[in-house]
Amino acid sequence: METTRRTLLAAFIAAPLAPLSGVAAAAQGTPALPLTRACDDDNAATVEREPGPFFKPNAPLNRDLFADSPRGERITVAGFVVDDRCGPLPGSLVEVWHADENGHYDEQGFRLRGHQFADERGRWWFNTVVPALYPGRTRHFHFKVQRPGGRVLTTQLFFPGEPRNAHDRLFDHSLLMNISDTGDGRFARFDFVV
Ligand SMILES: [Fe+2]
């Protein structure tokens, strides 16, 4: 069977979170899903990055953004929100905004902008398009993440293998997504530690 964004998302949703439930997962015979970054050391929290000039408040509750830019290359971005002991944070706000396939942000409306709340196991995902480069920046998504009642983490996520990563002053290796190519686009994974 061909690997698609949907099959990888289904696998992501089916797999338990490894550090939290490794014992339980082994008992169930289900392969555990490792976090993209260790959350059990002293510097676990996801690195912050500036929001930049294109953030707009009040983006809609929407995880399916692909229709906003139907000519773009599809990508599903998924992950957990966890605390610094790897515990999932259900109900966390996860908001994304990013450039379209031509490197433009929608400053009039809310194309390629949306938020959601992590599910009962701290999971979130967006179906969207791969943002193009725009002058002065390497390829990136903008995110805001807020655990219930907590402070807002503002950051940016980056793509592996981008030549301009090395020249971007906001780039950080710890903010690289794990990306798989699939039969119908890409599947990216990143876990926020807040
Ligand atoms: Fe940006």
Side-chain angles (χ1 to χ4, degrees):
M1 189 177 71
E2 184 183 47
T3 300
T4 64
R5 289 175 302 106
R6 185 181 296 265
T7 57
L8 289 183
L9 180 61
F12 166 72
I13 292 169
L17 181 61
L20 183 74
S21 53
V23 175
Q28 293 165 5
T30 308
L33 194 64
L35 285 159
T36 55
R37 187 151 186 252
C39 46
D40 51 3
D41 65 39
D42 290 341
N43 298 305
T46 300
V47 170
E48 304 205 36
R49 284 294 179 261
E50 61 195 55
F54 300 114
F55 175 70
K56 280 179 67 168
N58 305 315
L61 180 66
N62 186 8
R63 66 160 50 113
D64 294 309
L65 309 181
F66 174 73
D68 292 347
S69 222
R71 285 195 293 275
E73 180 189 359
R74 289 195 183 216
I75 185 169
T76 294
V77 193
F80 290 87
V81 183
V82 298
D83 63 22
D84 59 5
R85 297 176 140 190
C86 307
L89 293 168
S92 293
L93 171 74
V94 182
E95 178 162 355
V96 70
W97 72 103
H98 66 91
D100 66 14
E101 73 277 18
N102 299 310
H104 300 134
Y105 287 84
D106 181 7
E107 297 186 76
Q108 267 67 56
F110 291 97
R111 285 179 54 242
L112 303 176
R113 300 172 184 270
H115 77 272
Q116 67 186 272
F117 295 95
D119 72 7
E120 72 283 357
R121 284 172 44 201
R123 298 169 298 199
W124 58 272
W125 61 92
F126 287 100
N127 297 309
T128 188
V129 301
V130 175
L133 300 172
Y134 60 88
R137 292 304 316 278
T138 191
R139 201 180 310 275
H140 63 281
F141 289 115
H142 294 269
F143 276 89
K144 285 183 181 284
V145 181
Q146 183 180 27
R147 62 194 289 172
R151 59 183 284 277
V152 177
L153 166 78
T154 302
T155 193
Q156 302 183 15
L157 299 186
F158 298 98
F159 290 70
E162 289 285 335
R164 284 177 52 185
N165 284 348
H167 310 290
D168 190 298
R169 70 180 179 85
L170 298 175
F171 175 77
D172 189 284
H173 275 97
S174 73
L175 297 172
L176 281 171
M177 297 174 284
N178 287 345
I179 300 187
S180 307
D181 289 321
T182 80
D184 63 351
R186 301 194 217 177
F187 185 86
R189 175 76 195 286
F190 191 87
D191 302 315
F192 294 106
V193 183
V194 298

